[in-house]
Amino acid sequence: MVKQSLMKNPHKVLPQLMAAVVGSWGYFCMGTSRGWGSPGLPSLNRTLDFEMDADDFKWISAVPMCGSFFGALVVSIPMQYFGRKKALVGHYLLYIFGFLTVGLTCFGKHKAMLYVGRLLQGLAVGCTTPACQIYVSECSSPNIRGRLGSITASSLALGIWVAYIIGAFVEWDTLSFIFSALPVVFLLLTCFMPETPIWLLTHGMEDEGRQALQQLRGKNTNVDAEMRRMKEHHEKTDSGKGSVRFADLMTAPVLKPFGISLGIMFFQQATGINAMVFYTVSIFQSAGSSIESRYATIIVGGVQLVFTIASGFLVDRYGRRILLLSSAAVTSISLTSMGTFFYFQRIWGEATATELLGWVPLVSLIVFFVAYSGGMSNVPLIIMGEMFPSQYRTMLGTLSSSFNLFVTLAIVRFFPDMLIHLGNDVTFFIFAGCTVTSIAFVYFLLPETKGKTLEEIEEIFSNVKKNDKKAEVEQAAPATVSTQFTNIFGNQCGLVCHTMLPPVGEKDVERGITF
């Protein structure tokens, strides 16, 4: 495979980088919405001058997840019929009105405004995951798709960190007004970005698709081979395409990547990541940490941001599998460490545990966010954007996002109840157990997709019989790799068939002229 660094062909990379950065700002807004709760809820409780009870505070944290579940389902309609770009533009309006409504609650003084504002933010969060990730994936070349796809997770971490920093010095309503202004800038920038070439081509706009592809690859880049490959793949998949039937969705090429994506999305949230984000301040307060909680959250958020950015440079170097496996292993250790601290706190008493082990919560959370950011944060999103067949990508992407957000809702809503009824130690041990289970899931079921085109990834999950493969090899047809288990460091692993199309010679020529 031809290897090219980001800096060798800047004229080819910079347009894609710009599209990925602008396309990822929705994740920044998602981060501000998720991060708002950690400084915002204690601030709201401290300055509360209208009626709210303890359950209201729980639901104010959880309501965005309720809205996001439906937002992820609804966004498939504008994404499919109006385009990825227009869906991105529209979802920023939800963020603007959501944060404005929350901020105006200081004047309206009724908890219903908080519910409405957080619900609008949740709808926007649900739209963000499939719209941004699919936009970035469809705009990116295979060799750098992993790195550009990681920008979404970095933007999410940046948004959370900014919420921690600003929230440490302003009250909840001011924080909301600030975050209502930023999406306006992102909306305007998105208007200058191209639509994805794949969407334009699949909707009969070939000339516009070629123009968009040329803009993304650089004006001096020959895009003929890539355009031809996209057209051939579209014609092949479109030839039997009509209305989507249930029987079509029950085939192996659809169920395999969809099932894997659902599993990865579940384990991503089963680490307890969003419970950590929403209740970072509360975790430090319950641990009796000697470090002031608001500054500890800034430290944790900064660490998460740095290592999320760093992992983006590793995902196309070491592959998706190795990052997920190593990330899950270290994450489970940090969760076990946190659970162990709370166990001794229960046995020894809060004062003794804090005196002897008061540093453990901060260290454990830092290690948790470092490890999580190294793979669990961004790889599931990259996988969602690249594994699904093109004709079902929008629908499966929204379903996968909805499932992810449903699991997030369940964990965020019931995390306080788990702490009360199960205890802090048991809660974190449960998260650790789920994370350990994810290691086996990834090892046995997830194939490597590093460096492959979206069309080649579809071929990985296609149902090709062994006899057919053997005949193709004997007739010198496109090279195939037989079903096998390979070493953990290999490029493929699992009981799947890998068919490499187009032939090696054609692919090498193609990658030599497109990036």
Side-chain angles (χ1 to χ4, degrees):
M1 184 179 72
V2 180
K3 293 184 178 180
Q4 302 182 38
S5 69
L6 286 173
M7 300 308 297
K8 282 185 178 179
N9 296 284
H11 65 284
K12 297 180 181 180
V13 176
L14 289 179
Q16 297 178 66
L17 179 61
M18 179 62 68
V21 169
V22 174
S24 299
W25 280 121
Y27 273 86
F28 176 88
C29 295
M30 180 195 292
T32 60
S33 178
R34 291 186 176 182
W36 180 92
S38 189
L41 291 179
S43 170
L44 175 62
N45 188 39
R46 188 173 58 252
T47 61
L48 188 65
D49 57 354
F50 54 91
E51 184 179 354
M52 283 185 67
D53 57 31
D55 282 337
D56 287 322
F57 279 91
K58 293 179 183 177
W59 280 110
I60 291 301
S61 286
V63 159
M65 297 300 102
C66 296
S68 63
F69 177 77
F70 295 102
L73 293 174
V74 172
V75 75
S76 63
I77 298 174
M79 282 180 64
Q80 183 65 30
Y81 294 102
F82 301 106
R84 291 27 170 159
K85 174 183 172 180
K86 289 185 175 66
L88 287 178
V89 170
H91 96 296
Y92 285 124
L93 297 175
L94 293 173
Y95 279 119
I96 294 170
F97 289 114
F99 277 114
L100 271 178
T101 304
V102 171
L104 291 173
T105 307
C106 67
F107 301 106
K109 298 188 184 303
H110 198 286
K111 62 183 180 182
M113 295 182 67
L114 282 175
Y115 278 102
V116 171
R118 294 290 277 170
L119 182 64
L120 288 174
Q121 291 176 32
L123 290 171
V125 166
C127 295
T128 294
T129 305
C132 292
Q133 200 66 51
I134 291 176
Y135 178 85
V136 173
S137 294
E138 291 185 349
C139 287
S140 306
S141 297
N143 289 345
I144 58 172
R145 188 174 59 246
R147 276 169 283 184
L148 296 185
S150 297
I151 294 176
T152 55
S154 300
S155 299
L156 175 62
L158 178 62
I160 294 172
W161 190 47
V162 169
Y164 286 169
I165 293 176
I166 299 178
F169 303 102
V170 302
E171 299 296 349
W172 61 274
D173 50 346
T174 304
L175 186 64
S176 300
F177 287 129
I178 292 172
F179 289 154
S180 68
L182 295 177
V184 176
V185 179
F186 304 151
L187 185 154
L188 295 175
L189 290 174
T190 304
C191 292
F192 294 97
M193 291 294 104
E195 181 56 82
T196 69
I198 293 177
W199 186 87
L200 292 169
L201 182 62
T202 56
H203 285 75
M205 293 177 275
E206 182 178 336
D207 292 339
E208 292 86 345
R210 176 180 289 275
Q211 183 179 358
L213 184 63
Q214 191 73 68
Q215 181 179 346
L216 290 167
R217 301 299 184 261
K219 62 180 181 180
N220 296 322
T221 302
N222 188 335
V223 298
D224 291 341
E226 185 173 6
M227 191 68 188
R228 182 173 63 252
R229 172 174 54 78
M230 290 170 56
K231 285 178 59 179
E232 290 173 353
H233 181 75
H234 169 61
E235 291 169 358
K236 181 177 69 173
T237 57
D238 193 58
S239 59
K241 179 182 175 183
S243 59
V244 177
R245 300 174 303 172
F246 181 76
D248 297 330
L249 301 178
M250 293 297 103
T251 58
V254 176
L255 285 180
K256 286 179 181 178
F258 184 54
I260 291 173
S261 179
L262 291 184
I264 297 297
M265 289 295 191
F266 170 80
F267 287 118
Q268 182 196 47
Q269 295 306 318
T271 61
I273 175 61
N274 279 293
M276 302 289 195
V277 170
F278 276 87
Y279 295 102
T280 303
V281 171
S282 300
I283 290 171
F284 276 101
Q285 290 174 345
S286 65
S289 176
S290 56
I291 301 175
E292 189 174 346
S293 57
R294 65 175 180 174
Y295 297 123
T297 58
I298 294 175
I299 295 172
V300 169
V303 170
Q304 182 184 12
L305 173 62
V306 170
F307 282 88
T308 301
I309 294 173
S311 69
F313 294 94
L314 301 176
V315 70
D316 279 328
R317 182 181 180 88
Y318 297 105
R320 283 62 161 155
R321 283 172 46 80
I322 190 64
L323 287 186
L324 273 178
L325 290 169
S326 57
S327 175
V330 181
T331 297
S332 63
I333 293 173
S334 64
L335 288 169
T336 302
S337 175
M338 183 69 85
T340 302
F341 169 81
F342 284 117
Y343 171 78
F344 285 118
Q345 185 186 65
R346 179 166 56 86
I347 299 298
W348 295 343
E350 181 175 336
T352 303
T354 301
E355 180 182 355
L356 297 177
L357 301 173
W359 52 271
V360 170
L362 178 60
V363 173
S364 296
L365 274 184
I366 288 178
V367 173
F368 172 85
F369 280 114
V370 168
Y372 179 87
S373 302
M376 296 292 287
S377 66
N378 56 354
V379 175
L381 303 177
I382 296 171
I383 289 173
M384 185 197 71
E386 67 185 10
M387 281 208 314
F388 300 139
S390 59
Q391 65 187 103
Y392 306 118
R393 187 171 296 141
T394 299
M395 180 178 63
L396 296 181
T398 55
L399 290 175
S400 182
S401 300
S402 297
F403 177 77
N404 178 281
L405 295 166
F406 175 78
V407 178
T408 302
L409 166 63
I411 292 177
V412 171
R413 172 59 184 84
F414 295 107
F415 178 68
D417 297 322
M418 290 173 67
L419 295 178
I420 294 172
H421 298 292
L422 299 179
N424 295 2
D425 51 348
V426 174
T427 299
F428 281 94
F429 286 143
I430 290 174
F431 289 153
C434 291
T435 307
V436 170
T437 305
S438 73
I439 297 175
F441 183 90
V442 171
Y443 183 83
F444 289 109
L445 296 177
L446 180 67
E448 184 57 74
T449 57
K450 179 186 72 173
K452 291 181 172 60
T453 66
L454 296 177
E455 293 77 22
E456 289 171 349
I457 294 172
E458 287 189 39
E459 294 291 339
I460 292 177
F461 298 102
S462 62
N463 234 347
V464 182
K465 297 180 180 179
K466 290 184 178 181
N467 292 336
D468 294 338
K469 292 192 294 178
K470 183 177 179 181
E472 288 176 358
V473 172
E474 292 174 351
Q475 296 171 14
T480 62
V481 181
S482 60
T483 302
Q484 58 181 332
F485 275 113
T486 62
N487 185 275
I488 188 174
F489 297 103
N491 285 337
Q492 294 90 23
C493 181
L495 295 176
V496 292
C497 172
H498 302 269
T499 304
M500 307 302 182
L501 292 174
V504 174
E506 179 181 336
K507 188 171 77 172
D508 287 345
V509 171
E510 178 184 326
R511 287 189 178 169
I513 60 177
T514 61
F515 193 71

